[in-house]
Amino acid sequence: MSEEPEDIKPKLNLVINYEGQHITVKVKANMPFKKIFEAAEVSGTFKFAHEGKRLNSADTPAQMGLEDGDMIDAHLEQVGCFHLVS
Amino acid sequence: LIEEVYNALSSLPWSGDIRGFDSPEPIYKLATYATCHWLSTVHEDQMLDLLRRQLCLTPSAHRVEIQNMGFQKFIQEGYTHRNSGEYEESRYFRVACGVGQALASCQRDVLGFLVNLNASHWVAVVMNFREGEILYGDSLGEPIPGDLAAMLDWWTNGHTGLTFVHKLLPITRQHDGFSCGLLSFNALAHYVLPEEYLLIDSSAVDDEQLNVMMRVIKQHSQQV
């Protein structure tokens, strides 16, 4: 017997945005974000958020209320403490 | 204090995530609080989480909205596409629009958040909708950059139809190369909870970072 999660249709198109560059991934609503993040990047250095709220790898689009066409923001961890005047 | 930190660290596992915060982060990231390394988004969000919890327990502060590190991006993106109508229509801006509407309709009075300038410097922004003021705090004493001021003016004006006055947010002046992350947070916290958060003495930033670390560990420990 398969242990794959139940296939929930329809699939969602989620747009991953990094500084204006977009890629669209088609996913099941019950697919853990871990797989989606891995599809978007392999290095694991990005953090992902929807409407400003961090998405955790174990969560799913359905749990977080994402809908078809929603955008996920990818960003690098920022640091600070000197203002470099250009 | 250092002994307390050593004791607290000895009770933590070497691996796993910090619990009790919006974003689970690896435990090793706590170490930055005990160094002169630059604080990152992770640490700023942890401090903002702690402040939000404290505000929830303070009845007089229920009209204060503290947003996390992602909020700046929504105003910035909205400003960039200000002539397209996207900000008003797109689901992407739903949260920023909702916050703006809550402030403009007097459900909230004050919005505070932190901004990262040029991926290298933390500053604090407070918008007081009741007073019609935008307050900006930079621990290096620099004035608000023109593009940031224009962006904040666009957002406040778009939601209220008013032009807000720009003022300086009281903030401890930085005399080192690493404390802007702590001092900008402290300025924001002092504005919304002045009795609980005094402005830090610039000579005490090392101790204060350890105090924050202890609060993060305490929050984590309460969840495990």
Side-chain angles (χ1 to χ4, degrees):
Chain A
M1 181 185 288
S2 167
E3 293 186 358
E4 284 290 308
E6 185 188 350
D7 190 9
I8 296 177
K9 291 182 179 177
K11 288 185 175 179
L12 307 176
N13 290 294
L14 299 179
V15 181
I16 298 179
N17 167 46
Y18 174 63
E19 295 188 345
Q21 298 176 56
H22 296 170
I23 61 166
T24 301
V25 291
K26 197 173 186 108
V27 302
K28 297 172 189 172
N30 63 341
M31 177 185 281
F33 281 115
K34 184 174 191 298
K35 286 188 178 180
I36 300 167
F37 298 162
E38 285 170 355
E41 58 124 9
V42 292
S43 61
T45 53
F46 283 88
K47 297 181 186 304
F48 298 89
H50 175 246
E51 295 185 335
K53 190 169 176 57
R54 209 28 216 287
L55 299 174
N56 298 318
S57 55
D59 294 334
T60 68
Q63 284 173 331
M64 300 304 291
L66 268 70
E67 297 178 10
D68 190 43
D70 272 355
M71 190 177 286
I72 293 174
D73 291 310
H75 58 89
L76 296 167
E77 195 173 320
Q78 291 185 304
V79 293
C81 209
F82 267 136
H83 186 23
L84 304 174
V85 179
S86 54
Chain B
L1 177 59
I2 290 172
E3 195 173 333
E4 277 179 47
V5 171
Y6 274 130
N7 287 337
L9 288 176
S10 68
S11 68
L12 292 176
W14 285 97
S15 60
D17 287 337
I18 303 166
R19 305 267 181 90
F21 292 87
D22 282 353
S23 307
E25 296 288 347
I27 280 179
Y28 73 82
K29 298 225 172 189
L30 282 173
T32 309
Y33 289 116
T35 69
C36 296
H37 294 159
W38 293 2
L39 297 184
S40 77
T41 320
V42 168
H43 309 100
E44 302 302 331
D45 273 337
Q46 285 173 346
M47 291 189 282
L48 292 170
D49 269 2
L50 290 171
L51 175 60
R52 264 193 296 269
R53 283 188 173 82
Q54 202 161 352
L55 286 168
C56 286
L57 301 172
T58 309
S60 59
H62 72 284
R63 295 170 72 84
V64 174
E65 175 84 23
I66 299 295
Q67 282 288 328
N68 67 12
M69 295 310 306
F71 193 73
Q72 166 199 0
K73 182 184 172 65
F74 291 112
I75 299 185
Q76 195 171 347
E77 291 274 331
Y79 179 68
T80 303
H81 301 102
R82 61 190 178 280
N83 296 323
S84 68
E86 244 182 276
Y87 179 78
E88 293 80 7
E89 293 164 13
S90 169
R91 275 173 53 83
Y92 181 70
F93 295 107
R94 192 168 53 174
V95 169
C97 262
V99 170
Q101 285 164 5
L103 287 155
S105 62
C106 301
Q107 294 170 47
R108 293 279 190 279
D109 290 334
V110 171
L111 166 67
F113 58 99
L114 301 176
V115 171
N116 190 282
L117 294 180
N118 298 336
S120 59
H121 185 51
W122 297 111
V123 295
V125 171
V126 169
M127 295 174 177
N128 188 323
F129 274 60
R130 176 177 279 198
E131 303 294 333
E133 294 173 347
I134 295 172
L135 298 102
Y136 175 80
D138 182 340
S139 54
L140 292 175
E142 296 290 325
I144 186 169
D147 53 349
L148 177 60
M151 193 173 92
L152 301 178
D153 286 342
W154 164 79
W155 193 73
T156 47
N157 184 266
H159 280 286
T160 65
L162 303 171
T163 301
F164 281 30
V165 175
H166 284 257
K167 291 189 171 178
L168 291 177
L169 181 69
I171 188 168
T172 301
R173 193 64 181 264
Q174 177 183 345
H175 297 296
D176 56 45
F178 65 92
S179 62
C180 67
L182 177 70
L183 297 177
S184 55
F185 167 76
N186 174 246
L188 177 56
H190 175 68
Y191 184 85
V192 296
L193 290 175
E195 290 175 11
E196 289 82 353
Y197 289 86
L198 301 176
L199 284 180
I200 297 168
D201 187 313
S202 61
S203 64
V205 292
D206 294 343
D207 283 0
E208 197 52 41
Q209 283 203 178
L210 291 179
N211 280 324
V212 173
M213 183 188 200
M214 289 298 293
R215 291 177 61 204
V216 174
I217 293 174
K218 187 177 173 190
Q219 174 70 19
H220 166 82
S221 301
Q222 287 171 348
Q223 306 295 317
V224 293

